[in-house]
Amino acid sequence: MTAVLQPAISDREFAGRQALFHRAVYASEPFVFDEVMRRFWKPPTGCVAHDHGLIHARGAWHLFVLSNELNLHEKLVDAVRAGDWEAAQATPFAVGDRHLAGWRLTELAEVGFVLTESYGEWGSLAHTNSFVFPFGGRWGNIHCAMSREGQRLCIEWSDDLQTWRPDPDNPVWAPPEWAGGTTVCKGPCVVQAEDRWLIYYNLNLAEGTSTVSLISTTDFKSFEDHGPVIKFPNQYRGTQGCESPCVFVRNGIWHLMVASGDSWWHGISNRPDGFMGAQGIQSATAGGVYDMGPFHVGKVVERDGQWWLTSSYKAEHRWRCRREGRVVFRGENEDEAGLCEGLFLTRIEWDGDRPVLVRPTENEIP
């Protein structure tokens, strides 16, 4: 029997807070990238800064980021589209995410790569989407591994955040049968809820929707499937499916943020699996999402009582290409080139349960 996930606050209390949240969001506009974001890291010349994870541990910030050479992306995409798997495996775009560390986010130094070579079939094209978390006195990194068969979730373990060993049971999660044969299984986000660990990830369905779905575990050996927590239609502009879910809890409210199309979407719930549901008679408390702005692969981090949201430059770059009349198609090198701009950061100031984004000064960046 699948574990029942409990609400953080009562339905009655949530309904009141949701009504205030809905009113505040309804009166707001999406944020403008340059007005709220400030760059904190730029990759080496010719490299991208894409999916990433960020933690503060062992007295320092640690950044894990897909940041390999852009020209490797073009070779991999061309080989995959041509069905030339031998060539694709010879030029993996991301063997392992780049690891950097430093006492400030603006002073990160290279540590190395999470992995230096692929292992077996899974990861023969890419290892990426690192989400690093503490567990049982060591560190885990759950991520997406990709081969010609599609995507799976794998885990590496480390005692020092520097040397990583693959879990012997990798891959630990594959698309379930009810998903209808999808090859998309990526972008994990881990949240601890008492003695259970919740893993949100992107899973496409045969019906044509792209989802944030949920599994949970107590030991990272066996997993319970809770199904989709939110669904999006595929998008013709911007990010095709939904990507890179970010889930966190604040003051009894569960927050889910995720990229889809041109935008970064945000929704709330009082339960870890309650971001969709039937609408009641009072429309002020109807569930849903709203467009926060042109952000992508974001991560929300709390440190010393201050909240931060990161983003790549991908969605903003795509918007600028269209404004300038440049016809750039998804996945082409010119589309990916905006990722060479680096990673950006904004400060969150809370209006109740609504995040208000404020551009930090250089000195305010942690």
Side-chain angles (χ1 to χ4, degrees):
M1 180 179 295
T2 303
V4 176
L5 304 178
Q6 299 298 323
I9 59 174
S10 70
D11 291 347
R12 183 181 181 86
E13 181 182 352
F14 176 67
R17 287 173 64 172
Q18 186 185 35
L20 294 174
F21 172 83
H22 192 168
R23 288 179 179 275
V25 168
Y26 195 81
S28 70
E29 291 284 343
F31 295 99
V32 177
F33 192 96
D34 286 344
E35 292 180 0
V36 299
M37 285 286 175
R38 184 178 291 275
R39 183 164 55 199
F40 70 89
W41 182 72
K42 189 170 184 178
T45 301
C47 292
V48 301
H50 201 293
D51 296 278
H52 60 279
L54 185 63
I55 62 169
H56 193 278
R58 302 169 67 93
W61 287 102
H62 294 264
L63 173 67
F64 301 87
V65 57
L66 192 168
S67 183
N68 285 3
E69 296 177 23
L70 178 61
N71 65 0
L72 292 178
H73 168 268
E74 185 174 30
K75 294 177 181 178
L76 177 62
V77 170
D78 288 347
V80 170
R81 288 178 174 172
D84 187 347
W85 299 108
E86 183 176 348
Q89 292 172 356
T91 56
F93 181 44
V95 171
D97 285 349
R98 188 185 297 269
H99 178 197
L100 303 100
W103 74 280
R104 284 195 70 198
L105 290 178
T106 53
E107 299 182 22
L108 298 173
E110 298 277 353
V111 176
F113 285 83
V114 177
L115 299 171
T116 55
E117 59 184 20
S118 61
Y119 52 85
E121 176 185 5
W122 297 106
S124 60
L125 301 186
H127 286 282
T128 189
N129 310 124
S130 291
F131 193 100
V132 177
F133 58 96
F135 176 78
R138 56 180 176 166
W139 299 91
N141 173 17
I142 187 166
H143 65 91
C144 169
M146 181 178 176
S147 83
R148 61 183 294 176
E149 300 301 321
Q151 299 168 341
R152 301 288 188 271
L153 298 185
C154 291
I155 300 180
E156 273 71 48
W157 299 103
S158 175
D159 296 320
D160 58 6
L161 289 175
Q162 297 185 29
T163 303
W164 297 88
R165 302 173 302 278
D167 191 291
D169 293 332
N170 279 340
V172 297
W173 189 255
E177 290 186 4
W178 55 260
T182 182
T183 59
V184 173
C185 179
K186 63 179 182 178
C189 171
V190 179
V191 184
Q192 186 176 7
E194 297 181 349
D195 63 344
R196 184 165 293 274
W197 296 78
L198 310 181
I199 304 167
Y200 298 85
Y201 69 108
N202 292 125
L203 178 73
N204 286 2
L205 303 185
E207 67 186 18
T209 59
S210 182
T211 82
V212 178
S213 289
L214 174 63
I215 57 176
S216 70
T217 183
T218 58
D219 56 8
F220 288 91
K221 293 296 183 183
S222 61
F223 299 85
E224 297 190 38
D225 191 350
H226 301 271
V229 300
I230 200 164
K231 296 181 179 181
F232 288 81
N234 287 327
Q235 307 276 349
Y236 278 118
R237 187 184 294 124
T239 298
Q240 185 175 37
C242 65
E243 289 187 351
S244 305
C246 173
V247 181
F248 59 96
V249 187
R250 176 184 174 271
N251 295 346
I253 296 291
W254 286 82
H255 296 257
L256 184 151
M257 297 181 180
V258 67
S260 180
D262 283 336
S263 302
W264 187 242
W265 302 92
H266 177 218
I268 64 171
S269 175
N270 65 329
R271 339 173 27 95
D273 55 353
F275 297 98
M276 292 192 307
Q279 180 175 329
I281 189 67
Q282 297 200 19
S283 62
T285 57
V289 295
Y290 69 98
D291 173 8
M292 288 187 68
F295 313 119
H296 191 251
V297 297
K299 294 293 179 290
V300 172
V301 181
E302 185 271 332
R303 173 72 178 159
D304 295 331
Q306 181 61 67
W307 294 77
W308 305 90
L309 169 66
T310 64
S311 177
S312 79
Y313 200 70
K314 192 167 196 174
E316 177 70 4
H317 172 70
R318 286 169 166 169
W319 177 81
R320 288 172 179 265
C321 286
R322 291 195 298 272
R323 187 182 66 174
E324 295 166 6
R326 296 159 58 195
V327 181
V328 179
F329 187 60
R330 178 188 295 119
E332 294 177 349
N333 249 33
E334 193 173 358
D335 182 51
E336 299 289 318
L339 295 169
C340 295
E341 291 296 318
L343 296 177
F344 295 76
L345 186 77
T346 183
R347 188 175 74 250
I348 298 176
E349 293 184 357
W350 292 96
D351 173 19
D353 296 310
R354 182 177 74 97
V356 178
L357 306 185
V358 179
R359 190 171 192 256
T361 66
E362 288 283 355
N363 292 333
E364 288 175 328
I365 296 177

